[in-house]
């Protein structure tokens, strides 16, 4: 499928055009879109002709899609408030919808909400899509939105989205098709947050999520946590005809070799979590293709500030100087990563601080800080898993660098099965992986605010928290950028997390699978592949 010339369109408009064409839009549909965007009829005709020629392949309906994920856990859930892994996210996008969805530019697009507006960033009015039904036949109304959003702030829910929802002070149904969301302080990123994994809409009053009732493109047939999920097309879906395959079977295979063998044997159509070292094998295998998405996803070295051994500022700085970023990039990720600087805003994201000097590998500075931390001569246990990104390889590189300055790091290998529920954030010295969030506010709120749900290093800074709140309500773009730049510097220098690289999300699929498009919030179209792909068998 070749590209086509669209010199009259912005990058965002080109992305939307690509998206519509991949979904089977006709030449007439494209013409309407282009004219509505302000293009002359003559120019629209030229672009529409080129586009329809380039995207002559029409999505096909039918077939059974088999997907092998990279993780499995008995803690998997059907409650969006508890989603915490790629397996949960992918299943969630099969059976639920949010008020918005995020496109490849991370711009919120209409989903269960058709439009929204706010004058001050504090009071938001969302108009809701009419004629939508849940899988059990119930009509979707404003009451479902009120319930779905407010439950995140109920302590009994134990939601993982409270970093995004804690400022919501009210959600009111103005009518069955309109809600008002009130915030304690302005947040112009609210429509973006409402398109993320945990904030999907469920039927009002739901207490038992075992049936997985949503409005999404597929309805749940069976679910065995840690084993597999099976869904089938929901014929009442409001995006009529845009879920192409008949069924989707999703199961976890923690071992990459097992996933690749299944793909090459034709037993699965799509798999994820591909090690860059496997890229050449895939590229030389007939009938199999790579799907690469550049992103701000990272795996971080976690040093919990509450721990007596690894919690000091000097220990954290010592480890950051000991991270051989260039070696990690070259030997582990190759061309599929960019060097990072111990803070979570990637160069491809808005508000990236270009002026922050990159921390270089410096064993002498590392030794100086580790001596001040009083750990030289000790054996420090570091927990890692071969199935969590490439963190075991990172641990071994760090172990060798530490050995050369006289520090012993005891790498303790654990299985990936159950890692996210039993190990991550529960050990003082280990690793995690964070998929890119759409905005700086969201990643900072989730992972570095004192009360962030994924504040894995347990770093707390009043100065950082105040800057985060100030940036959220700041309308002057230069001042907002300055605040985010300051926060990146604080995290890089003070937090207990070392981020050596940002890496691309690498998936692999059979050549017969079509329709994948990059969305940088995660693998497999930001986990939203379900309603977008088809089998060209």
């Amino acid at each position: 499928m070749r590209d086509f010339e669209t010199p009259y369109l912005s990058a965002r408009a080109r992305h939307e055009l690509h998206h519509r064409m991949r979904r089977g839009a006709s030449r007439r549909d494209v013409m309407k879109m282009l004219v509505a965007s302000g293009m002359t009829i003559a120019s629209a005709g030229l672009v529409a002709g080129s586009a329809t020629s380039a995207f002559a392949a029409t999505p096909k309906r039918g077939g059974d899609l088999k997907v092998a994920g990279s993780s499995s856990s008995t803690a998997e859930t059907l409650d969006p408030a508890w989603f915490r892994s790629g397996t949960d996210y992918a299943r969630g996008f099969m059976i639920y919808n949010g008020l918005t969805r995020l496109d490849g530019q991370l711009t919120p697009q209409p989903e269960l909400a058709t439009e929204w507006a706010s004058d001050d960033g504090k009071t938001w009015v969302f108009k809701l899509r009419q004629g939508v039904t849940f899988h059990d036949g119930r009509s979707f109304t404003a009451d479902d939105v009120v319930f779905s959003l407010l439950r995140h702030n109920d302590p009994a829910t134990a939601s993982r989205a409270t970093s995004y929802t804690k400022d919501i002070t009210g959600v009111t149904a103005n009518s069955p098709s309109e809600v008002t969301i009130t915030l304690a302080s302005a947040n112009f990123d609210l429509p973006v947050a409402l398109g993320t994994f945990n904030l999907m809409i469920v039927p009002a009053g739901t207490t038992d999520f075992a049936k997985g009732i949503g409005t999404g493109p597929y309805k749940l047939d069976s679910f065995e946590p840690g084993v597999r999920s099976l869904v089938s097309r929901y014929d009442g879906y409001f995006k009529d005809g845009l879920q192409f395959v008949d069924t989707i079977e999703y199961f976890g295979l923690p071992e990459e070799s097992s996933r690749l063998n299944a793909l090459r044997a034709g037993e699965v159509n799509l798999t994820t979590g591909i090690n860059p070292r496997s890229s050449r094998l895939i590229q030389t295998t007939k009938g199999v293709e790579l799907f690469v998405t550049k992103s701000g996803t990272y795996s971080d070295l976690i040093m919990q500030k509450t721990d007596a051994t690894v919690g000091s500022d000097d220990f954290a700085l010592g480890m950051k100087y000991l991270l051989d970023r260039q070696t990690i990039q070259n030997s582990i990720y190759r061309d599929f990563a960019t060097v990072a600087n111990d803070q979570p805003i990637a160069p491809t994201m808005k508000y990236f601080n270009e002026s922050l000097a990159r921390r270089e590998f410096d064993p002498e500075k590392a030794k100086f800080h580790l001596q001040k931390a009083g750990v030289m001569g000790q054996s420090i246990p570091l927990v890692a898993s071969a199935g969590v990104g490439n963190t075991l390889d990172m641990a071994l590189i760090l172990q060798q660098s530490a050995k050369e300055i006289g520090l012993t790091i005891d790498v303790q290998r654990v299985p990936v099965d159950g890692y996210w529920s039993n190990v991550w954030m529960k050990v003082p010295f280990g690793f995690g992986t964070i998929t890119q969030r759409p905005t700086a506010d969201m990643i900072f709120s989730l992972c570095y605010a004192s009360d962030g749900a994924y504040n894995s290093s347990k770093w707390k800074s009043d100065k950082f928290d105040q800057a985060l709140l100030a940036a959220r309500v700041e309308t002057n773009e230069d001042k907002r950028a300055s605040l985010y730049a300051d926060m990146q510097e604080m995290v890089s220098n003070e937090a207990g997390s070392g981020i050596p690289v940002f890496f691309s999300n690498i998936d692999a699929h059979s050549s017969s699978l079509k329709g994948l498009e990059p969305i940088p919030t995660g693998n497999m179209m930001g986990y939203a592949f379900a309603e977008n792909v088809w089998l060209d068998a």
Side-chain angles (χ1 to χ4, degrees):
M1 193 174 287
R2 66 182 185 276
D3 201 357
F4 53 90
E5 294 297 324
T6 53
Y8 306 97
L9 296 180
S10 67
R12 182 171 296 172
R14 285 198 301 273
H15 174 82
E16 182 63 21
L17 179 57
H18 276 247
H19 178 74
R20 294 193 184 196
M21 293 307 303
R22 287 182 186 275
R23 303 296 294 275
S26 67
R27 185 177 187 277
R28 185 174 181 180
D29 293 332
V30 174
M31 282 281 291
K32 287 182 178 180
M33 172 199 164
L34 297 175
V35 172
S37 70
M39 188 176 289
T40 66
I41 292 177
S43 296
L46 289 173
V47 174
S50 179
T52 51
S53 174
F55 288 90
T58 301
K60 296 182 179 179
R61 196 172 174 90
D64 300 311
L65 178 65
K66 296 183 184 297
V67 183
S70 60
S71 65
S72 63
S73 170
T74 55
E76 291 167 13
T77 178
L78 295 171
D79 184 348
W82 294 354
F83 288 172
R84 67 182 298 168
S85 69
T87 298
D88 285 335
Y89 303 153
R91 188 189 312 105
F93 279 117
M94 296 176 199
I95 60 181
Y96 299 111
N97 297 105
L99 287 179
T100 65
R101 68 170 175 85
L102 301 181
D103 64 18
Q105 309 302 311
L106 303 182
T107 302
Q109 300 293 341
E111 192 76 341
L112 290 179
T114 57
E115 56 183 288
W116 49 88
S118 175
D119 293 329
D120 59 3
K122 292 179 64 176
T123 302
W124 291 82
V125 176
F126 287 79
K127 295 186 182 300
L128 306 180
R129 195 176 299 277
Q130 300 183 57
V132 177
T133 58
F134 287 98
H135 300 154
D136 60 1
R138 278 187 41 192
S139 294
F140 161 70
T141 71
D143 290 340
D144 304 304
V145 177
V146 173
F147 173 80
S148 296
L149 296 184
L150 289 181
R151 67 186 295 262
H152 292 285
N153 290 344
D154 181 352
T157 303
S159 172
R160 296 190 173 277
T162 53
S163 298
Y164 307 153
T165 63
K166 62 186 178 183
D167 279 349
I168 294 178
T169 57
V171 185
T172 305
N174 305 330
S175 72
S177 60
E178 184 180 282
V179 297
T180 294
I181 301 176
T182 306
L183 307 179
S185 57
N187 185 354
F188 289 97
D189 289 334
L190 178 65
V192 179
L194 294 174
T196 55
F197 315 124
N198 297 105
L199 298 183
M200 296 178 176
I201 303 301
V202 300
T206 302
T207 56
D208 181 2
F209 287 85
K211 294 182 179 180
I213 302 297
T215 59
Y218 292 87
K219 58 184 180 180
L220 186 70
D221 292 329
S222 64
F223 170 54
E224 300 173 74
V227 183
R228 72 161 196 160
S229 306
L230 182 64
V231 299
S232 57
R233 182 192 294 116
Y234 175 46
D235 291 329
Y237 191 42
F238 64 90
K239 301 180 191 177
D240 184 36
L242 291 187
Q243 72 281 50
F244 303 112
V245 300
D246 295 330
T247 67
I248 303 174
E249 182 181 2
Y250 191 104
F251 49 90
L253 288 177
E255 295 296 328
E256 185 200 27
S257 59
S258 299
R259 297 196 300 276
L260 289 179
N261 288 337
L263 178 66
R264 297 171 71 196
E267 297 169 355
V268 301
N269 311 101
L270 173 64
T271 190
T272 187
I274 304 301
N275 191 308
R277 294 170 182 166
S278 303
S279 60
R280 186 173 297 277
L281 172 65
I282 295 168
Q283 290 168 327
T284 57
T285 301
K286 185 177 180 181
V288 176
E289 299 177 16
L290 282 178
F291 178 64
V292 180
T293 302
K294 290 185 177 180
S295 78
T297 297
Y298 62 85
S299 290
D300 57 337
L301 176 68
I302 299 166
M303 299 153 280
Q304 292 187 342
K305 306 298 285 185
T306 53
D307 184 75
T309 302
V310 305
S312 71
D313 292 344
D314 279 301
F315 184 89
L317 277 173
M319 286 297 116
K320 291 173 185 180
Y321 279 116
L322 208 55
L323 282 172
D324 192 342
R325 301 161 204 274
Q326 204 62 58
T327 296
I328 289 171
Q329 180 193 37
N330 294 341
S331 66
I332 299 177
Y333 295 98
R334 307 186 182 186
D335 296 329
F336 299 99
T338 57
V339 172
N341 197 27
D342 303 322
Q343 60 82 24
I345 309 303
T348 54
M349 294 176 65
K350 188 176 182 180
Y351 302 120
F352 172 69
N353 184 356
E354 295 181 355
S355 65
L356 182 61
R358 193 173 87 182
R359 183 172 285 112
E360 301 293 344
F361 175 60
D362 193 328
E364 288 305 311
K365 284 186 179 179
K367 186 174 183 178
F368 169 78
H369 285 288
L370 293 169
Q371 285 175 333
K372 286 184 66 178
V375 297
M376 298 300 289
Q378 297 184 38
S379 177
I380 312 296
L382 172 61
V383 181
S385 173
V388 178
N390 292 285
T391 56
L392 180 57
D393 290 336
M394 288 168 55
L396 295 175
I397 291 173
L398 185 64
Q399 182 186 51
Q400 181 59 38
S401 297
K403 182 179 179 181
E404 292 174 3
I405 65 170
L407 177 68
T408 300
I409 292 180
D410 177 18
V411 177
Q412 300 183 349
R413 308 183 188 205
V414 298
V416 66
D417 188 26
Y419 184 90
W420 298 108
S421 55
N422 301 322
V423 179
W424 182 53
M425 296 181 64
K426 292 182 171 63
V427 298
F429 195 30
F431 289 92
T433 297
I434 300 293
T435 56
Q436 180 181 331
R437 263 51 183 188
T439 68
D441 176 78
M442 293 176 70
I443 189 68
F444 280 143
S445 298
L446 186 68
C447 297
Y448 293 95
S450 295
D451 58 354
Y454 292 171
N455 184 356
S456 54
S457 75
K458 301 186 178 182
W459 174 64
K460 294 186 178 182
S461 167
D462 290 339
K463 183 179 179 181
F464 178 88
D465 293 343
Q466 290 165 9
L468 182 61
L469 293 175
R472 190 175 297 156
V473 302
E474 180 58 65
T475 56
N476 182 290
E477 194 64 17
D478 289 339
K479 292 180 179 178
R480 199 178 198 209
S482 178
L483 285 165
Y484 282 129
D486 291 343
M487 283 185 273
Q488 290 171 65
E489 186 171 357
M490 280 187 265
V491 169
S492 180
N493 292 333
E494 301 172 22
S497 61
I499 304 175
V501 296
F502 297 105
F503 55 84
S504 296
N505 300 317
I506 309 177
D507 307 310
H509 61 92
S510 62
S511 298
S512 62
L513 183 71
K514 308 295 184 182
L516 288 168
E517 295 180 8
I519 298 178
T521 48
N523 291 80
M524 304 181 295
M525 294 190 67
Y527 305 102
F529 65 89
E531 70 175 73
N532 293 282
V533 299
W534 69 91
L535 292 168
D536 189 20

